């Protein structure tokens, strides 16, 4: 089955700086890579995703890159704000099975 | 109601109790999922229903029993649970995948504590 590894497990950044979270996956058949943000007391919320036929996707301050050859993908958050503080999960999907990384706790310092 | 809703939000039960978790999706999707989220572990897929048929049972103990009466509702029936079953149980929905993988939308979860 798919194995997704996520780093770092915790990340503290100064407000206004950038944050980068990296994930690797094992199954070359995986073709869809979503990122979720989970705030305290809430379920994961889809924030951005990328499909295997695309190398990069951007949505305002959030961007995701995918390197299919190396089997890794990354989330980039620019100009971080206090409301970006949350746990972020990467995932890889093969057919309908989503496999998640262990999560990164991001803290944005004011 | 919008999105994916789950009830109850919190549940405390003894090991001999029987209880049920409920999930409802208002997105017009036709696939629904149960996940277990434990502290410091990745989300674990438990069950998948696509077009009201169970297509995945991810080696889940029989003390967890899912039910999907229609494409909008999903239940998780619980009986004789163990303390290690304490976790956040998340429901999600999507369009039934056809090989390409579709976005899954999550509910807020039920925080379950087994005493």
């Amino acid at each position: 089955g798919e194995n997704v590894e996520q780093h770092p497990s915790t990340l503290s950044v100064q407000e206004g700086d950038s944050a980068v979270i990296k994930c690797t996956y094992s199954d070359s058949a995986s073709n869809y890579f979503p990122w979720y943000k989970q705030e305290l007391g809430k379920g994961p919320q889809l924030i951005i995703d990328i499909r295997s036929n695309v190398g990069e996707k951007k949505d305002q301050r959030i961007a995701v890159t995918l390197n299919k050859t190396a089997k890794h993908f990354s989330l980039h958050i620019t100009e971080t704000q206090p409301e970006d503080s949350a746990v972020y999960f990467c995932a890889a999907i093969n057919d309908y099975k989503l496999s998640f990384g262990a999560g990164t706790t991001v803290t944005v310092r004011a | 109601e919008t999105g994916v809703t789950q009830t109850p939000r919190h549940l405390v039960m003894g090991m001999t109790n029987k209880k049920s978790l409920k999930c409802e999706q208002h997105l017009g999707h036709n696939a629904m999922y149960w996940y277990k989220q434990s502290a410091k572990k990745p989300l674990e897929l438990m069950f998948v229903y696509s077009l009201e048929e169970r297509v995945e049972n991810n080696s889940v103990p029989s003390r967890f029993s899912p039910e999907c009466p229609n494409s909008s509702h999903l239940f998780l029936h619980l009986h004789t649970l163990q303390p290690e079953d304490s976790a956040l149980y998340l429901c999600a929905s999507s369009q039934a995948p056809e090989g390409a993988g579709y976005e899954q939308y999550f509910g807020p979860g039920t925080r379950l504590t087994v005493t």
Side-chain angles (χ1 to χ4, degrees):
Chain A
E2 177 64 275
N3 180 42
V4 178
E5 295 195 0
Q6 182 172 346
H7 300 279
S9 57
T10 60
L11 181 59
S12 179
V13 296
Q14 189 70 37
E15 182 178 357
D17 288 350
S18 295
V20 181
I21 304 170
K22 298 182 179 181
C23 290
T24 61
Y25 62 98
S26 60
D27 189 346
S28 57
S30 292
N31 54 14
Y32 172 68
F33 306 91
W35 285 88
Y36 286 86
K37 175 184 180 182
Q38 187 173 23
E39 296 172 310
L40 204 60
K42 297 183 178 180
Q45 177 190 5
L46 179 67
I47 56 171
I48 195 168
D49 55 18
I50 191 166
R51 298 190 186 273
S52 59
N53 57 350
V54 176
E56 183 175 356
K57 184 176 178 180
K58 193 173 181 180
D59 183 5
Q60 299 183 345
R61 296 186 297 107
I62 295 173
V64 59
T65 59
L66 171 65
N67 183 325
K68 281 216 74 178
T69 303
K71 289 191 275 190
H72 65 71
F73 56 114
S74 301
L75 177 72
H76 305 253
I77 307 173
T78 58
E79 301 172 24
T80 52
Q81 300 169 5
E83 54 264 36
D84 295 328
S85 295
V87 180
Y88 291 81
F89 295 94
C90 63
I93 196 166
N94 185 355
D95 198 3
Y96 52 79
K97 291 188 180 184
L98 259 184
S99 298
F100 284 84
T104 298
T105 302
V106 173
T107 304
V108 179
R109 307 187 307 273
Chain B
E1 295 277 18
T2 59
V4 181
T5 57
Q6 290 186 243
T7 55
R9 294 294 310 276
H10 301 272
L11 178 63
V12 179
M13 60 186 289
M15 289 191 284
T16 58
N17 290 160
K18 287 186 180 181
K19 295 285 185 184
S20 296
L21 310 184
K22 179 183 175 183
C23 174
E24 184 172 1
Q25 60 92 4
H26 310 268
L27 299 168
H29 291 160
N30 49 20
M32 297 187 78
Y33 312 76
W34 279 117
Y35 288 88
K36 176 183 179 182
Q37 186 175 33
S38 304
K40 304 195 177 176
K41 290 176 68 175
L43 276 77
E44 301 170 54
L45 178 65
M46 300 175 71
F47 300 104
V48 180
Y49 278 83
S50 180
L51 302 172
E52 300 164 38
E53 287 192 18
R54 191 191 307 182
V55 297
E56 181 75 18
N57 176 347
N58 210 21
S59 302
V60 179
S62 59
R63 55 186 184 269
F64 296 91
S65 174
E67 178 190 1
C68 186
N70 56 60
S71 60
S72 298
H73 294 86
L74 185 65
F75 295 89
L76 188 62
H77 303 299
L78 316 171
H79 64 97
T80 58
L81 295 191
Q82 303 298 310
E84 59 264 30
D85 297 323
S86 298
L88 182 69
Y89 288 84
L90 291 160
C91 172
S93 72
S94 74
Q95 291 296 347
E98 293 172 285
Y102 287 87
E103 297 87 343
Q104 292 186 19
Y105 293 88
F106 285 82
T110 295
R111 174 67 62 186
L112 173 67
T113 303
V114 181
T115 60

